[in-house]
Amino acid sequence: MLESDLINDLQTRGMRLVDPRVGHESRRGGAGPSDHKAVTLGRTTVMVPVHTAPAFQSPYVVEAPDAAGRARVTRDGAAVATVKFPPRPRFYDLTTADGIPYNQIAVLHARNVLATTVLQTCIRYESRKKACQFCAIGQSLAAGRTLAHKTPEQLAEVAKAAVELDGVEHMVMTTGTPKGPDRGAAVLADSARAVKAAVDLPIQAQCEPPQDDAWFVRMKTAGIDALGMHLEAVTPEVRARVMPGKASVPVDKYLASFEAAVAVFGRGQVSTYILAGLGDSKEAILATGEQLCAIGVYPFVVPFVPISGTPLESHPAPTADFMAAILRPLGAMIVAAGMRSSDIKAGCGRCGACSALSTYEALGKRP
């Protein structure tokens, strides 16, 4: 099996761990890649579900690591791969002067990405009628694992330590959507400005499209290197069903904002998350991907992972065949558009750990 197909299969089926303590701790529920564990397969680090319903029944079993840290992966008893687990980051052992653990301010994703949700609240999450049905942003806060608002000073302190102690190479700043027409761009700009003053670290910011396109220049000037504005779903009926509040921002607004943002950040430095498996057809996702590539937006398509505690926790994950039917042609489409995940300065597309897309993209580079 090709590495790309194995990663795709692992990410849709999940895996069972003989020793769940290996690697650094995984989170159950909450924002970000929750219910996952980071594993390194060859030179590629990916996030694989371990706490989801499909993972509990997965044919993939990861044995306890040997003395060198290598763990054998079996499927139905037959060995299929060997993986290693990124170690627990050293910055997790530190606290701020006022006693806040660093990992309540930002966490490690994959092996070299620092990630934070600057505002752990959202105007849409507060209403059952408006909340995205897959979102768990409020769970981390309710569980006391994070802060409602990370200050620029806190983020700068943690980012500097993560670079110096753990070799972090880029940072993702996302946010719940606050009240106001900037849609979170203002708080992201303030945060990025502080981080860049403390350490030279490429930053991707993620927010809904602000009403005023002038925010793209302000964010870039503040030190944000790449921007994510996430569609999540691409057809009106699916968007209205799974994200009723966010669906009030139409796809046409996203497309107009994408064009304005690409003019500021450059081709390939603006991206969007698309969650495959929520109901959009393969054809709809690929048609949107083609449209995005033409604009210069990197279409980061990932398999939907049902997060515990959300309304969609029992929604089935997409099949590996469905994902491959999207990711294989999409990878070739991205290459043909002159974009590469490795050229993105910071963020989810560059990291690539939540999807097999970058490995399919690599297949498209071969003659």
Side-chain angles (χ1 to χ4, degrees):
M1 182 183 289
L2 289 172
E3 180 182 86
S4 52
D5 292 331
L6 176 58
I7 292 171
N8 182 42
D9 212 33
L10 283 166
Q11 289 188 322
T12 53
R13 296 176 184 271
M15 64 187 184
R16 292 178 285 147
L17 302 173
V18 170
D19 182 359
R21 300 168 299 174
V22 296
H24 66 84
E25 57 262 40
S26 56
R27 293 177 295 148
R28 293 176 183 262
S34 298
D35 295 353
H36 288 64
K37 178 77 78 169
V39 297
T40 300
L41 197 158
R43 293 181 295 176
T44 305
T45 299
V46 295
M47 303 295 289
V48 179
V50 294
H51 300 308
T52 62
F56 297 148
Q57 301 175 22
S58 174
Y60 291 101
V61 176
V62 184
E63 298 176 351
D66 62 19
R70 296 184 297 264
R72 196 173 69 143
V73 182
T74 65
R75 176 171 176 167
D76 299 324
V80 294
T82 300
V83 298
K84 299 185 79 171
F85 294 86
R88 186 178 191 273
R90 289 183 285 178
F91 80 85
Y92 276 23
D93 296 326
L94 302 180
T95 59
T96 63
D98 49 351
I100 299 170
Y102 275 19
N103 63 351
Q104 289 189 9
I105 297 168
V107 296
L108 186 73
H109 283 191
R111 61 177 178 83
N112 62 358
V113 186
L114 185 67
T116 186
T117 304
V118 180
L119 296 179
Q120 203 77 34
T121 57
C122 178
I123 56 170
R124 310 200 189 287
Y125 191 81
E126 306 306 322
S127 167
R128 285 184 176 271
K129 292 182 179 180
K130 295 181 180 179
C132 298
Q133 301 297 289
F134 48 78
C135 182
I137 190 173
Q139 289 184 18
S140 303
L141 185 61
R145 297 195 301 260
T146 188
L147 309 179
H149 181 189
K150 290 82 171 179
T151 68
E153 295 76 20
Q154 289 169 336
L155 292 168
E157 181 180 341
V158 174
K160 188 172 187 294
V163 170
E164 294 174 351
L165 295 177
D166 296 287
V168 160
E169 296 179 3
H170 56 114
M171 184 174 187
V172 177
M173 290 182 181
T174 188
T175 182
T177 302
K179 293 180 180 178
D182 67 89
R183 298 287 190 260
V187 72
L188 291 169
D190 289 343
S191 301
R193 195 175 293 111
V195 169
K196 281 294 179 74
V199 62
D200 184 16
L201 184 64
I203 297 170
Q204 183 198 45
Q206 300 177 352
C207 63
E208 290 188 35
Q211 286 187 16
D212 188 347
D213 290 345
W215 275 108
F216 299 134
V217 173
R218 294 170 191 154
M219 295 169 84
K220 176 78 169 177
T221 303
I224 291 169
D225 301 283
L227 181 66
M229 295 185 290
H230 300 332
L231 284 167
E232 265 94 32
V234 301
T235 52
E237 57 272 23
V238 176
R239 298 183 84 237
R241 175 170 54 82
V242 301
M243 37 194 267
K246 194 172 178 180
S248 66
V249 182
V251 173
D252 285 349
K253 167 59 178 171
Y254 273 84
L255 295 174
S257 294
F258 286 145
E259 291 188 359
V262 168
V264 174
F265 291 95
R267 284 183 62 84
Q269 301 306 325
V270 179
S271 63
T272 191
Y273 243 88
I274 296 173
L275 301 174
L278 290 174
D280 289 320
S281 68
K282 172 193 71 174
E283 292 78 11
I285 293 174
L286 288 173
T288 301
E290 190 169 20
Q291 201 171 6
L292 294 168
C293 285
I295 296 172
V297 173
Y298 187 89
F300 190 50
V301 176
V302 306
F304 167 70
V305 176
I307 301 298
S308 54
T310 68
L312 292 183
E313 66 178 358
S314 299
H315 191 285
T319 66
D321 287 344
F322 178 75
M323 290 306 305
I326 295 170
L327 298 180
R328 191 177 292 275
L330 185 63
M333 193 186 297
I334 289 168
V335 173
M339 296 187 290
R340 291 185 176 91
S341 57
S342 58
D343 291 337
I344 302 174
K345 295 176 182 177
C348 294
R350 174 178 166 181
C351 170
C354 292
S355 172
L357 178 57
S358 63
T359 58
Y360 284 107
E361 176 191 318
L363 294 178
K365 295 177 187 175
R366 296 177 183 173

